[in-house]
Amino acid sequence: MTIRRHILSAAALLAAAGAAHAVDVKYVLWDSGQRPAYQQCASDFERANPDIKIKISQQGWDEYWTGISTGFISGTAPDVFTNHLAKYPEFAKNNQLVDLAPLIARDKVKTDIYANGLFDIWGRDGKQYGLPKDWDTIAFIVNMDVAKKAGVTLAELNNMTWNPKDGGTFEQIVKKLTIDANGNNALSPKFDKSKVATYGYQNPGAGGMMGQTEWSHFAVSNGFKFQDKPWAGKFYYDDARLAETIQYIAGLPGKGVSATAEDVSKLGSGGMFMSGKAAMIPEGSWMINHFATNTKFGYAWVPLPKGPTGVRATMFNGLADSIWVGSKNKEQAWKWVKYLGSEACQSVVAKAGVVFPAVKGLPDTVTAVHKAKGIDDSAFLEMARGKTFLAPIADNGSQVNDLMLNAIDSVLRGKAQAATALKDANGQVNALFK
């Protein structure tokens, strides 16, 4: 017994010595809801790698990207960070990201474990800038208390159609969900659009070059495409099908069924929904738990409407983890990124039910977790099985985003017509690649 105790004590001392000399790997993410799951991944990783200590921090979206960019300049950026498709092309162009391709080949990392498209979109010209971590789609969240009072059924919500001419059954439902201060809906001749208590639908904003939750799903279901393929230096923001989509959305406040762009910029579409000011809004699957925790009334997630092409469409977006080229601990950082992209870590994330992991099969685990909590996430999975499209990706992303943000915002605020504004902006966008 004494010998065994000495052996255990020696092992503990060795472990403590290893921990004392452990290399710190700094890891940052922006979603506070995901931090507990990744903290568990870090604990599991550290047990298997006692010579590495993972230091996790979290910042809100705007502060996060400011911190990453200034960190590149000052030499204080984290070793590993959660990356976004809208951001990484510029980082890669400026040589701020480690090319993972040689490391993947050296360690024989399997990359076919991820959902289709999620790995390839993070690569260019034989280089790889991230390992996939999750994916998301878009759906509508609906205040079912308002819907029931308006006589709108879940079946009707699940089978909406839309077009930019008369809005299809989507607009008819939105008008039923819109209620003025006197209890009249927007189909009633007595409806007072100057005194709306609940708007039937609320667009979140301009959406920049992606329009992920704002307009891309409408536009693509109308036949629009951003570019011919990822990294193509020609965009089609001047497409008439996008123009009529944006013009349609811009016209909703005039009908009294949506708040103005000015009002939603102050309140936020999510805040309007939570306060009962908006009955239906588009949201991403990353918000499932947020609404489950904070919504105080009956609600449901429903698929997006079928557009003039006869299909529903959603952006299929995926995040990845990247390594900063200035990291002094690249091998340790790579070990951590490998683990983040593994089934072992993503299974932990799946069991937490915060996002749909990138590894095939694990979204089923998330659905089971949600079902146990009384959450129906089937709308997002239905969208994933339908027509999906990747986010637009190209060099000069920040300039493209600013140009499109300003153009679309001008239309939503009634300062310009969509056809003219988008044609002008698209010309400026494509000029960036000449």
Side-chain angles (χ1 to χ4, degrees):
M1 189 65 145
T2 301
I3 294 173
R4 184 170 182 271
R5 186 179 298 116
H6 285 319
I7 292 173
L8 290 173
S9 298
L13 286 170
L14 287 171
H21 295 91
V23 172
D24 288 345
V25 170
K26 296 178 181 179
Y27 176 55
V28 296
L29 66 165
W30 64 76
D31 188 344
S32 59
Q34 296 185 42
R35 183 169 182 170
Y38 284 109
Q39 193 63 62
Q40 180 60 55
C41 283
S43 297
D44 296 343
F45 175 82
E46 289 168 353
R47 277 194 293 272
N49 300 273
D51 59 330
I52 304 174
K53 182 71 175 177
I54 305 300
K55 301 285 189 179
I56 298 180
S57 59
Q58 177 267 327
Q59 295 173 302
W61 176 264
D62 291 331
E63 184 183 2
Y64 180 89
W65 293 112
T66 299
I68 294 292
S69 297
T70 57
F72 288 160
I73 297 170
S74 64
T76 59
D79 300 288
V80 179
F81 63 99
T82 300
N83 211 342
H84 194 281
L85 288 174
K87 303 289 184 179
Y88 105 82
E90 187 171 345
F91 296 158
K93 184 179 180 180
N94 293 329
N95 299 312
Q96 295 292 353
L97 305 178
V98 171
D99 174 17
L100 304 182
L103 300 171
I104 291 170
R106 183 194 72 186
D107 296 350
K108 296 180 173 59
V109 176
K110 292 183 177 181
T111 60
D112 59 354
I113 64 172
Y114 304 115
N116 293 339
L118 294 185
F119 177 80
D120 293 341
I121 196 65
W122 285 92
R124 185 185 189 186
D125 298 332
K127 296 183 178 182
Q128 187 70 23
Y129 297 107
L131 280 188
K133 61 192 291 102
D134 58 40
W135 59 261
D136 52 69
T137 57
I138 309 302
F140 287 158
I141 185 170
V142 183
N143 184 325
M144 290 307 294
D145 290 356
V146 172
K148 288 175 183 176
K149 288 181 182 178
V152 176
T153 67
L154 185 58
E156 289 174 315
L157 290 164
N158 281 328
N159 292 281
M160 289 185 287
T161 60
W162 170 83
N163 69 74
K165 306 300 182 187
D166 62 19
T169 62
F170 164 76
E171 184 167 319
Q172 293 303 302
I173 287 173
V174 166
K175 287 180 175 178
K176 287 182 180 179
L177 296 177
T178 302
I179 307 297
D180 69 13
N182 295 314
N184 301 305
N185 71 27
L187 291 173
S188 169
K190 297 180 180 180
F191 175 67
D192 185 351
K193 66 180 181 180
S194 69
K195 296 179 180 178
V196 178
T198 300
Y199 293 104
Y201 179 77
Q202 189 56 54
N203 172 56
M209 68 182 289
M210 294 173 62
Q212 184 178 9
T213 60
E214 295 85 358
W215 49 262
S216 63
H217 42 92
F218 285 125
V220 174
S221 75
N222 193 32
F224 167 75
K225 68 176 180 179
F226 289 93
Q227 54 192 154
D228 291 321
K229 61 181 180 179
W231 300 105
K234 181 180 181 180
F235 284 87
Y236 298 107
Y237 291 117
D238 58 349
D239 188 327
R241 290 166 293 191
L242 175 61
E244 64 182 0
T245 298
I246 300 299
Q247 200 66 59
Y248 173 83
I249 295 171
L252 294 177
K255 299 174 182 178
V257 298
S258 287
T260 63
E262 291 81 5
D263 285 344
V264 75
S265 68
K266 299 172 187 174
L267 303 172
S269 58
M272 291 178 66
F273 180 79
M274 299 293 288
S275 65
K277 191 67 177 174
M280 179 165 59
I281 62 171
E283 267 295 359
S285 53
W286 61 89
M287 294 293 286
I288 291 174
N289 282 359
H290 171 77
F291 285 104
T293 301
N294 297 293
T295 305
K296 306 304 180 185
F297 48 79
Y299 71 91
W301 293 102
V302 302
L304 302 173
K306 291 181 179 179
T309 59
V311 298
R312 300 181 173 93
T314 179
M315 188 172 289
F316 188 71
N317 189 43
L319 305 181
D321 289 304
S322 299
I323 301 174
W324 175 42
V325 74
S327 170
K328 294 179 174 61
N329 305 301
K330 291 187 179 67
E331 275 298 330
Q332 293 87 350
W334 166 237
K335 277 190 176 182
W336 174 232
V337 168
K338 269 197 304 183
Y339 188 72
L340 288 168
S342 72
E343 185 172 353
C345 176
Q346 294 196 17
S347 291
V348 171
V349 175
K351 291 173 184 175
V354 288
V355 288
F356 294 115
V359 173
K360 296 173 184 175
L362 291 182
D364 293 337
T365 300
V366 179
T367 294
V369 171
H370 286 162
K371 187 175 181 180
K373 295 179 180 178
I375 302 170
D376 182 0
D377 63 16
S378 60
F380 293 102
L381 299 179
E382 181 173 347
M383 293 307 304
R385 289 190 293 267
K387 180 176 177 58
T388 63
F389 54 93
L390 295 171
I393 186 167
D395 292 323
N396 308 307
S398 59
Q399 297 101 307
V400 174
N401 190 68
D402 287 345
L403 286 167
M404 296 315 304
L405 181 69
N406 292 333
I408 295 172
D409 189 63
S410 71
V411 179
L412 296 181
R413 292 176 184 270
K415 297 178 179 179
Q417 289 295 301
T420 302
L422 295 179
K423 182 179 180 180
D424 291 346
N426 193 67
Q428 295 177 67
V429 165
N430 287 336
L432 295 170
F433 301 92
K434 293 179 179 179

